[in-house]
Amino acid sequence: MTPTVKAILANYESDNPGVKANLARILMQGRLGGTGKLIILPVDQGFEHGPARSFAVNEPAYDPHYHYQLAIDAGLSAYAAPLGMLEAGADTFAGQIPTILKVNSSNSWATGINQAVTGGVDDALRLGCSAIGFTIYPGADEVFDMMEEIKELSAEAKSVGIATVIWSYPRGGKLTKDGELALDVGAYAAHMAALLGAHIIKVKLPSAHIEQKDAQKVYEGTDWSKQSDRVKHVVKACFNGRRIVVFSGGAAKGEDAVYQDARDIRDGGGNGSIIGRNTFQRERGDALAMLDKLVRIYKGEE
């Protein structure tokens, strides 16, 4: 284990050896192992957007084994997916890459801003997962129920040595569409995930927009035009960098934008990317080339 990883684990002062061992599995895995940087492949889009919208553009991606193999061949840090996706390859790929069980999910037809619990800690143990993953929607009326759900699930996971990843995506309530990606809102959402006991926090890259009137004065007088500075602010909101924070790849975008995002995350002190559609919706060779370049960016080689 590298000094960098030891220093990260030291920030988790209340956690038992099991949780720290599982965090170490993720931090020491793949081509970024030991650097303190991560690239995680998340494939939960089938629940959120449906199979055709997620996989028809690259038909081999309908097969759960495709994603396991992509993450392994690319040398990634972990693979995150809902229960059925992990079950479909759990035996074939056992021990080859750390997995994160996404234990709640939504779908594109629901009108409420909420997710159903679709997996449990017992499933994560059975499948050999290093962590559970859970989405909250700060701003939505239902977020209080979601907070209570992850409080219970996270406590159970920690008691058996499994880490917790929280996806914190602001939406609903009084938030405008621009406000969902606002800098002040994103930092607040990341801080909520830290306060809920997350070991790894996943948020979206924030814009320079400031949404909350009460926060305007705090942000005035600072130039927030550089994305790396905005990343640095979000990292500061995660207990001054004492928690691992990764940023989502978001909607499918051009290669140059994906690479620039990674450079800004790296330069802002973020721990890495959790990138799904921008990789698995590309042909396998193109996806591997993109992930190879992202690894080199996080290593400081690009």
Side-chain angles (χ1 to χ4, degrees), residues 77-290:
S77 309
Y79 167 49
L83 179 63
M85 290 284 278
L86 291 187
E87 285 184 331
D91 184 60
T92 300
F93 300 99
Q96 295 185 46
I97 188 165
T99 52
I100 298 166
L101 175 62
K102 186 68 166 53
V103 295
N104 71 336
S105 293
S106 184
N107 65 63
S108 57
W109 302 325
T111 55
I113 303 173
N114 203 345
Q115 297 210 357
V117 175
T118 55
V121 173
D122 54 343
D123 296 309
L125 278 172
R126 173 172 58 86
L127 296 170
C129 298
S130 293
I132 58 168
F134 191 94
T135 296
I136 62 169
Y137 293 132
D141 292 338
E142 294 86 351
V143 75
F144 302 107
D145 293 334
M146 303 174 88
M147 287 178 172
E148 291 175 4
E149 288 166 354
I150 189 54
K151 181 259 183 187
E152 298 293 337
L153 285 163
S154 181
E156 184 183 354
K158 290 173 182 177
S159 74
V160 295
I162 293 176
T164 297
V165 185
I166 293 182
W167 280 237
S168 193
Y169 286 172
R171 64 184 62 167
K174 297 180 180 179
L175 285 175
T176 65
K177 202 65 182 171
D178 287 340
E180 292 179 7
L181 295 176
L183 175 60
D184 59 317
V185 172
Y188 192 176
H191 188 65
M192 284 189 204
L195 292 172
L196 285 167
H199 299 100
I200 300 175
I201 296 159
K202 179 195 176 189
V203 288
K204 296 181 179 181
L205 281 163
S207 70
H209 174 63
I210 305 300
E211 173 80 356
Q212 303 167 96
K213 289 182 180 179
D214 292 342
Q216 292 279 354
K217 288 184 179 180
V218 180
Y219 288 90
E220 284 175 0
T222 302
D223 180 6
W224 296 108
S225 59
K226 286 179 64 178
Q227 185 165 249
S228 58
D229 287 338
R230 301 196 297 269
V231 167
K232 190 177 297 183
H233 180 66
V234 172
V235 170
K236 189 173 283 289
C238 296
F239 297 166
N240 202 28
R242 287 182 178 271
R243 293 295 178 263
I244 297 165
V245 57
V246 294
F247 294 83
S248 67
K253 61 182 80 169
E255 291 183 9
D256 289 345
V258 173
Y259 300 143
Q260 188 56 52
D261 284 349
R263 292 187 187 97
D264 291 337
I265 293 166
R266 176 197 67 197
D267 296 346
N271 293 95
S273 300
I274 180 160
I275 181 166
R277 282 173 287 176
N278 281 297
T279 55
F280 70 71
Q281 288 186 341
R282 287 175 161 83
E283 184 274 329
R284 188 174 187 276
D286 293 341
L288 287 171
M290 170 177 276

Side-chain angles (χ1 to χ4, degrees), residues 16-30:
N16 58 44
V19 169
K20 291 194 176 189
N22 274 314
L23 287 172
R25 285 174 67 192
I26 295 170
L27 288 163
M28 294 300 296
Q29 175 76 19

Side-chain angles (χ1 to χ4, degrees), residues 1-10 23-24 27-28 32-36:
M1 192 184 294
T2 63
T4 298
V5 171
K6 285 183 178 179
I8 291 171
L9 295 179
L23 287 172
L27 288 163
M28 294 300 296
L32 288 170
T35 65

